[in-house]
Amino acid sequence: MDIKKSEFTISAATVSQCPKDTKPEFAFIGRSNVGKSSLINMLCNHKGLAKTSATPGKTLLINHFIINNDWYLVDLPGYGFAKRSKTVQKKLDQMITSYILQREQLINTFVLIDIRHDPMKIDTDFINWLGESSVPFAIIFTKADKLGPVKAKQNAAKWMNSLKEQWEELPPYFITSSEKKTGRDEVLTYIEDILKSLKEGE
């Protein structure tokens, strides 16, 4: 997929404020400081598209970006940020849940995982919840350049193996690096294939 145009559309505090059209949406979510903004900018080849911040946990709204005037890339708030108050985190969790479960335009959710870390309960709980809720999703491992290709593959395999305790069929996954643009083509081809199958099914 060639991304010729990507631009910010709207920040929404509730699902009802999201765009009213029916273009397909692909959402990106992960724990705070997983490198979500950098990944979005890398995928879109647009450095300042999603605001990267030195302070984790800054995304507090549902941010829509229109891509090629054809589909939306949606930046969701991170889950499980320790420094947020419980009230704020609860509000964000409700916003994320209602978007993922109620938004008919949502086609696929990408769950971002920092490839350097062992499986964490907060991530596996979220992934299992998506599965139980029958929400289509894929996993994107970020920051692969911090490990090197061999160790990155080993860590990703270890992660996916840990899911086998709960999952009969594992979700698709991608290994990426925003620094080196690793995995960009694979993720965009995956999105493109889904968009093609949607158009064929119309």
Side-chain angles (χ1 to χ4, degrees), residues 177-192:
S177 159
S178 300
E179 292 287 316
K180 298 190 171 178
K181 299 202 169 181
T182 311
R184 181 176 187 266
D185 290 346
E186 289 83 348
V187 173
L188 291 178
T189 299
Y190 181 73
I191 292 172
E192 187 175 35

Side-chain angles (χ1 to χ4, degrees), residues 30-33 55-58 60 78-90 92-93 120 122:
R31 274 185 303 119
S32 303
N33 71 5
T55 313
K58 290 289 265 189
L60 300 173
Y79 50 80
F81 182 52
K83 290 183 182 171
R84 286 194 193 118
S85 72
K86 281 188 175 163
T87 315
V88 171
Q89 189 58 53
K90 191 177 176 189
L92 284 177
D93 288 345
M120 292 180 73
I122 190 162

Side-chain angles (χ1 to χ4, degrees), residues 38-52:
S38 300
L39 178 84
I40 290 169
N41 293 341
M42 181 270 279
L43 289 174
C44 296
N45 226 354
H46 189 153
K47 215 169 185 180
L49 187 66
K51 300 286 183 284
T52 55

Side-chain angles (χ1 to χ4, degrees), residues 64-84:
H64 277 70
F65 303 92
I66 184 79
I67 311 296
N68 291 345
N69 292 326
D70 193 33
W71 57 278
Y72 287 106
L73 188 156
V74 183
D75 181 5
L76 292 175
Y79 50 80
F81 182 52
K83 290 183 182 171
R84 286 194 193 118

